[in-house]
Amino acid sequence: MTPEYDIAMLLATRGRTESLGRSVRSLIELADHPDRLQLMFAFDNDDDVGATYFHDELQPWLEEHEISFFAVKFPRQGYHRLHIYNNKMAQYTNSHWLMIWNDDAVMQTQGWDTEIMRYQDQFKLLAFHTHLDHPYSIFPILPRKWYELLGYISPHSVQDGWLSQQAYMLDIWERIPVWVLHDRADITGNNNDATFKERAALEGRPMDEADFHSIAQIELRHKDCEKLANYMISQGLSVEFFINIFKGTQDPWEKLAKNDVNKQMVQFENPHKHFAK
């Protein structure tokens, strides 16, 4: 069955009003085909501020502009379970592509949706240009088929890293000519609120099994990559890069390092440091 929408945006938000509205309006106003978008919102059930703003101001605006949206309340999961919101929202989407979005992100490129749809029927992880062009896809754009194959977008809250590392290993990571302002406190000084301050770091403690770089998490990413690679093979797509990694003839992070133009990924100075065969 052909999906009803082109792109579904997954937006988990907490305690934000003006920044949420600005973020959503930037997506709609700069889209070539806003009627082809599906907006998915996740609110905590104790977030009266965010829910009230959505009900009183943002929802009427979306309805006025005839934008498809779906909003759901969750028992509060917190930043370290951010993936739970997005995995659940993805279940209710009906789109070709899934896009993880933030309430502190502002779209800056007209026709951003058209640029994504240029890759229709390609199995790739797409990346926007963001502050300092981080080599990860900070706001990941993935085919919904990716979610269907694994049953989740990511089992870990470091979703941009999880998806990007898989895409680099499969050689399907690609940046597109779309620019996004990430209006985050440690980047611009804005949105330095309780939501930002309560963020939890799940990197830097590899002996903790929950850490992004623990052996357990690395092995799970590899298992997922194998499932994705098998699908690619079934579609006649090359997985030579991935196969050569396990042969020991291909540096898995070669292209990540080339994309790290501002040297933000110091942990990959030794390209095999976080790669367990």
Side-chain angles (χ1 to χ4, degrees):
M1 181 181 295
T2 302
E4 184 176 357
Y5 302 100
D6 289 341
I7 308 161
M9 279 70 64
L10 312 179
L11 203 171
T13 180
R14 178 176 175 82
R16 288 181 175 163
T17 54
E18 287 83 2
S19 62
L20 173 62
R22 177 180 143 188
S23 177
V24 171
R25 287 192 295 272
S26 73
L27 290 172
I28 302 306
E29 292 171 354
L30 292 177
D32 285 342
H33 304 286
D35 59 312
R36 300 289 301 155
L37 305 179
Q38 184 180 30
L39 272 64
M40 314 295 291
F41 297 92
F43 294 91
D44 290 331
N45 56 15
D46 65 346
D47 180 15
D48 294 335
V49 170
T52 299
Y53 171 78
F54 181 82
H55 181 269
D56 292 350
E57 298 191 42
L58 189 54
Q59 180 175 336
W61 188 88
L62 293 170
E63 291 172 344
E64 177 186 352
H65 290 79
E66 300 182 337
I67 304 301
S68 175
F69 67 91
F70 180 89
V72 61
K73 286 189 175 182
F74 285 77
R76 186 178 181 185
Q77 302 297 317
Y79 188 86
H80 64 294
R81 295 190 182 95
L82 183 58
H83 56 292
I84 292 177
Y85 299 97
N86 289 324
N87 290 337
K88 189 64 176 179
M89 283 190 286
Q91 180 180 339
Y92 297 104
T93 59
N94 183 14
S95 59
H96 293 280
W97 294 87
L98 301 176
M99 185 174 101
I100 297 178
W101 193 245
N102 284 24
D103 55 15
D104 60 1
V106 182
M107 180 57 67
Q108 297 180 306
T109 299
Q110 177 66 52
W112 62 272
D113 53 330
T114 298
E115 291 298 332
I116 291 174
M117 293 308 294
R118 293 187 196 283
Y119 292 85
Q120 182 57 17
D121 299 324
Q122 297 188 46
F123 195 73
K124 291 189 173 185
L125 182 74
L126 305 179
F128 296 135
H129 289 274
T130 55
H131 180 74
L132 293 179
D133 272 348
H134 197 287
Y136 282 170
S137 178
I138 299 300
F139 304 106
I141 310 121
L142 62 152
R144 194 179 189 281
K145 184 65 178 180
W146 191 308
Y147 162 79
E148 293 172 357
L149 289 166
L150 301 179
Y152 50 67
I153 295 174
S154 169
H156 196 280
S157 67
V158 184
Q159 298 162 101
D160 52 2
W162 192 279
L163 292 165
S164 294
Q165 287 200 15
Q166 289 177 316
Y168 278 116
M169 286 192 284
L170 294 166
D171 196 21
I172 55 173
W173 190 98
E174 186 156 343
R175 197 181 301 278
I176 63 176
V178 173
W179 278 258
V180 171
L181 168 65
H182 197 180
D183 199 17
R184 198 175 73 183
D186 58 345
I187 297 174
T188 66
N190 297 325
N191 292 305
N192 190 18
D193 53 15
T195 300
F196 176 78
K197 293 174 181 177
E198 290 172 7
R199 295 187 317 144
L202 288 175
E203 295 181 87
R205 301 185 302 274
M207 299 309 293
D208 180 350
E209 284 196 3
D211 189 85
F212 180 75
H213 294 298
S214 71
I215 294 298
Q217 300 297 335
I218 290 172
E219 289 179 346
L220 179 54
R221 281 198 292 281
H222 292 177
K223 289 179 181 178
D224 283 353
C225 268
E226 289 176 6
K227 294 177 183 178
L228 298 173
N230 287 334
Y231 169 75
M232 291 173 63
I233 291 170
S234 75
Q235 301 300 303
L237 302 173
S238 173
V239 294
E240 181 180 6
F241 190 95
F242 183 66
I243 291 172
N244 287 340
I245 291 173
F246 288 91
K247 286 182 177 178
T249 60
Q250 174 63 59
D251 171 3
W253 312 127
E254 175 187 348
K255 296 191 177 183
L256 185 153
K258 287 180 179 178
N259 288 331
D260 190 10
V261 293
N262 290 295
K263 307 301 179 188
Q264 298 176 80
M265 299 296 291
V266 294
Q267 67 264 43
F268 287 97
E269 289 178 355
N270 175 349
H272 296 280
K273 183 176 180 181
H274 295 304
F275 187 81
K277 294 183 181 178

